[in-house]
Amino acid sequence: MTGSSYLSAAELSSVGSPTLWAVTIVGVLVLLVLDFLVTRRPHEVSMREALGWSAFYIALPLAFGAWIWSRFGSQQGVEYLTGYLVEKSLSVDNLFVFMLLLAAFAVPAVLAQRVLLYGIAGALVLRAVFIALGAAALQTLDFAFLLFGLILIVTAIKLLRDALSGHEQEVDINKMRSVRLLRKVMPVVDDYHGTRMTIRQHGRRALTPFALVVVAVLATDIVFAVDSVPAVYGITEDPYLVFATNAFALLGLRALYFVLHAALSRLVHLSYGLAIILAFIGVKLGLHWAHGIWSGVPEIPTLASLGVIIGVLIVVTVTSLRATREQVSGEPEVVPERR
């Protein structure tokens, strides 16, 4: 068997009919508009509000997964649920970066959810672009799976290296390329003016810190897309399921941020777990590529992948909580850096 045996464009299968694609995209847009309406008046988010929206955005994708399972079968159902779990896990790490950015830019609490929402909207657009590029690569390049696998393994190594060095905890806004570029283009005022991105000062249009933090979040979205899209393609080759898992994982981030804000600092081993998961999926993609050339090469079943991912997440959560229990008990022991 040779590399030419890979799926051609005509053979790339998907459960997503034009109607299903249209309904899903409209549904995502409706939910996004609803979030903008909810945040139109800046306010601090209460835990009750955050828990309510988080419950909604967890129940919705799970119900959708049940529909996928009943409508298209167990294989697609498992692929969707596994992909969603991978994307949700990666999104938690994304939230930690968002938390650092919001702190670095001293974003007022009443504006935090609007910043997050702009980041989510930008991430949805970027993920759609990367998903389309990924689908095109799978249709035209015999080595696309190997390329995706290498991207994930390199990302896992970088994630592990950053976790060991503690580099991931450092956010210097003055060194961010996006911020430096904006400051060269337009003047920047020191104070926030609500959700306004620009104001007129001394007869000139100037940017607000709100504009800088939104652009910084959007810039990090690009990095996240490079990691997450190949990761979910390692679970399913169906572009529709890839889009659905990404969309559902992203839509719930705004509320999830406020639920997990205090707990995020306790997940000190999360990066280790994500590095293991990304490396595992990278190996899975490499084996899938090799299987297309040499049929004797084994492949990793999706159900087995689901078990590995759940197991890794449980282990790193338990070890993280144990490692930071002094932080909760109030003992004066130094809390270890996030790993």
Side-chain angles (χ1 to χ4, degrees), residues 216-274:
V217 169
L218 292 176
T220 60
D221 284 338
I222 298 176
V223 179
F224 295 152
V226 173
D227 298 343
S228 65
V229 172
V232 74
Y233 266 123
I235 302 300
T236 176
E237 300 167 29
D238 188 330
Y240 174 79
L241 295 181
V242 173
F243 175 79
T245 55
N246 272 268
F248 280 126
L250 287 170
L251 284 171
L253 284 189
R254 177 183 63 84
L256 188 62
Y257 173 86
F258 297 99
V259 173
L260 296 181
H261 186 273
L264 284 173
S265 60
R266 297 196 62 195
L267 298 178
V268 293
H269 297 155
L270 178 61
S271 291
Y272 289 127
L274 293 180

Side-chain angles (χ1 to χ4, degrees), residues 166-183:
H167 174 71
E168 63 176 348
Q169 289 196 341
E170 301 172 4
V171 174
D172 187 346
I173 60 177
N174 294 317
K175 294 182 180 180
M176 298 184 69
R177 294 178 181 177
S178 58
V179 173
R180 288 186 298 177
L181 178 61
L182 285 178
R183 284 175 171 168

Side-chain angles (χ1 to χ4, degrees), residues 63-117:
F64 184 77
W67 179 79
I68 289 288
W69 191 302
S70 63
R71 176 67 176 81
F72 300 106
S74 59
Q75 178 65 28
Q76 284 73 21
V78 171
E79 288 180 1
Y80 167 82
L81 292 173
T82 306
Y84 174 72
L85 182 60
V86 168
E87 290 303 310
K88 206 64 178 177
S89 304
L90 292 172
S91 71
V92 172
D93 198 48
N94 297 355
L95 285 181
F96 188 85
V97 178
F98 289 158
M99 183 176 70
L100 295 179
L101 286 173
L102 293 179
F105 282 93
V107 177
V110 295
L111 301 179
Q113 62 176 341
R114 180 51 68 97
V115 173
L116 293 171
L117 195 51

